[in-house]
Amino acid sequence: MDLMNKSDYFFELPERLIAQTPVEPRDASRLMCLNRETGEISHRHFRDLTELLKPGDLLVVNDSRVLPARLYGVKEDTGANMEFLLLEQKAPKRWEVLVKPGRRAKVGSRFVFGDGLLKAEVLEVTDGGGRLVEFACEGDIFSILDQIGQMPLPPYITEKLQDKERYQTVYSHELGSAAAPTAGLHFTKELMAALEEMGVKIAYVTLHVGLGTFRPVKEENILNHKMHSEHYHLPKETADLINETKKSGGRVIAVGTTSCRTLESVATYCGEIREADGWTSIFIYPSYEFKVLDGLITNFHLPESTLIMLVSAFAGYEHVMEAYRTAVAEEYRFFSFGDAMLIL
């Protein structure tokens, strides 16, 4: 079985299992534990990490913070309603954006948001059908976004989010993601403190999650899928902690596929774990040989997604597909606000 077909990663997912709202408190979510050697499955809660991890283990988390990047406004001359989704900053107030409806956003068109707090003019149409726009506002655009922007929740979440901070991890710091690194949403500050107290270390990387993370795999042969590119930073302090952990026989456990992709990208591109900064479009699927990871904490992903392919590469295809069948049967909650899986 070469596992190069998209359909190899399909499973039946009832729509009612797609979590629409987060659980409270964060660490009350369920946690499926999967032994990657034996395929053995057990059922716990996220707060039980204090019993499942050991002194000397290292958790690597992604401290990227989600931009409130969805803007609702009007076209200046007609008052027609418009929606902007910020994709990438090109200059202090120049951004590539997705616009709805696009037909109203010709070059030279002007738009107003937040009763005039923010204005925008379309400079050009991009290759992907987006727009390059120049914003105008008093002061810092990020503080304006904090006031008037909405969280860019994934398309499969239809409920309105009551508290914007629930789509941020408690340790988010570096602003720049279009989507949350969702495996980290289960941590509370108290749980992190309890883990550190028992001798589990926590290290930080930054990978700014792009909207490409939701892009479906359209090619039946997954090798023809073009991965999106995302910016990452691995600081020296984190590199040192990873190398020390490896040397002393501890386990390096990535929190989320974004942390995993950062570590494996650096190890692949640099030949070692060291301070690094760059762009990655690494695509991890079965047959990939992991260079850093000993464990992974991750949410339950979409059928036929690049994320379930990554998890299958780490824990074994048969083990993962059986774990997903079990998750559906046991009614685990899926995707961004869903439950989690610990693979060791």
Side-chain angles (χ1 to χ4, degrees):
M1 197 173 187
D2 68 0
L3 305 176
M4 291 300 127
N5 290 332
K6 174 178 78 166
S7 51
D8 293 331
Y9 301 89
F10 179 78
F11 62 94
E12 290 288 348
L13 179 67
E15 201 169 312
R16 62 189 161 75
L17 297 185
I18 299 173
Q20 292 296 320
T21 53
V23 295
E24 296 295 346
R26 290 172 182 254
D27 60 1
S29 52
R30 293 163 77 191
L31 181 69
M32 179 187 284
C33 302
L34 174 63
N35 183 313
R36 62 193 283 242
E37 299 300 325
T38 66
E40 184 189 348
I41 291 168
S42 59
H43 305 285
R44 303 290 292 262
H45 286 88
F46 202 83
R47 58 179 173 263
D48 298 336
L49 279 183
T50 50
E51 298 165 29
L52 299 163
L53 300 182
K54 300 188 295 205
D57 285 342
L58 175 68
L59 289 176
V60 182
V61 304
N62 180 6
D63 65 5
S64 183
R65 190 166 170 79
V66 187
L67 278 170
R70 198 180 293 281
L71 291 167
Y72 295 97
V74 295
K75 193 159 187 257
E76 196 175 64
D77 55 355
T78 65
N81 289 330
M82 297 296 295
E83 179 185 332
F84 275 30
L85 183 62
L86 278 61
L87 296 181
E88 190 182 332
Q89 188 175 25
K90 303 289 190 180
K93 288 180 180 169
R94 187 168 295 187
W95 287 74
E96 184 181 347
V97 301
L98 285 179
V99 180
K100 279 203 292 197
R103 67 179 185 280
R104 291 187 184 140
K106 296 183 170 62
V107 173
S109 301
R110 299 165 72 89
F111 304 92
V112 181
F113 305 91
D115 295 327
L117 278 176
L118 188 65
K119 296 185 174 182
E121 180 178 349
V122 177
L123 303 180
E124 62 181 75
V125 179
T126 65
D127 291 342
R131 302 291 187 274
L132 189 67
V133 303
E134 186 79 33
F135 286 106
C137 61
E138 290 289 324
D140 176 28
I141 189 168
F142 292 108
S143 57
I144 300 289
L145 288 175
D146 252 352
Q147 286 179 64
I148 65 173
Q150 301 286 322
M151 279 298 165
L153 292 180
Y156 44 75
I157 292 178
T158 53
E159 296 271 330
K160 192 164 171 31
L161 187 62
Q162 298 306 314
D163 173 10
K164 278 204 282 202
E165 277 305 305
R166 279 308 265 111
Y167 195 56
Q168 305 279 15
T169 62
V170 295
Y171 48 77
S172 64
H173 182 66
E174 300 293 332
L175 205 56
S177 275
T182 53
L185 293 178
H186 307 280
F187 283 95
T188 62
K189 286 185 171 160
E190 293 76 15
L191 177 59
M192 293 177 83
L195 287 166
E196 289 190 289
E197 204 171 294
M198 62 173 271
V200 174
K201 293 191 169 70
I202 297 172
Y204 299 86
V205 295
T206 305
L207 180 135
H208 290 316
V209 188
L211 282 175
T213 193
F214 302 124
R215 190 178 297 143
V217 177
K218 293 194 173 138
E219 306 284 349
E220 179 54 28
N221 182 336
I222 65 172
L223 297 183
N224 296 327
H225 176 69
K226 187 177 186 310
M227 279 294 281
H228 55 290
S229 186
E230 294 168 318
H231 187 262
Y232 68 84
H233 175 64
L234 192 152
K236 182 179 186 304
E237 188 181 358
T238 296
D240 291 346
L241 273 170
I242 292 168
N243 291 324
E244 283 164 25
T245 301
K246 287 289 193 187
K247 207 174 289 179
S248 59
R251 299 178 295 185
V252 174
I253 300 161
V255 175
T257 55
T258 59
S259 300
C260 164
R261 292 177 76 238
T262 303
L263 299 183
E264 294 296 323
S265 295
V266 172
T268 300
Y269 302 154
C270 305
E272 61 179 341
I273 287 292
R274 58 176 170 81
E275 182 176 9
D277 196 274
W279 291 84
T280 181
S281 54
I282 194 169
F283 184 9
I284 297 175
Y285 50 83
S287 80
Y288 176 85
E289 289 191 18
F290 284 82
K291 299 159 186 65
V292 187
L293 251 62
D294 302 302
L296 177 65
I297 294 172
T298 185
N299 280 17
F300 290 92
H301 304 294
L302 278 162
E304 300 185 337
S305 63
T306 59
L307 304 177
I308 194 173
M309 293 168 194
L310 181 153
V311 177
S312 298
F314 183 67
Y317 172 79
E318 299 292 351
H319 292 341
V320 168
M321 297 313 285
E322 180 56 32
Y324 270 67
R325 282 190 288 272
T326 302
V328 171
E330 296 287 332
E331 304 215 320
Y332 273 72
R333 303 166 83 242
F334 276 68
F335 309 153
S336 302
F337 288 141
D339 296 313
M341 180 191 265
L342 169 66
I343 305 169
L344 288 171

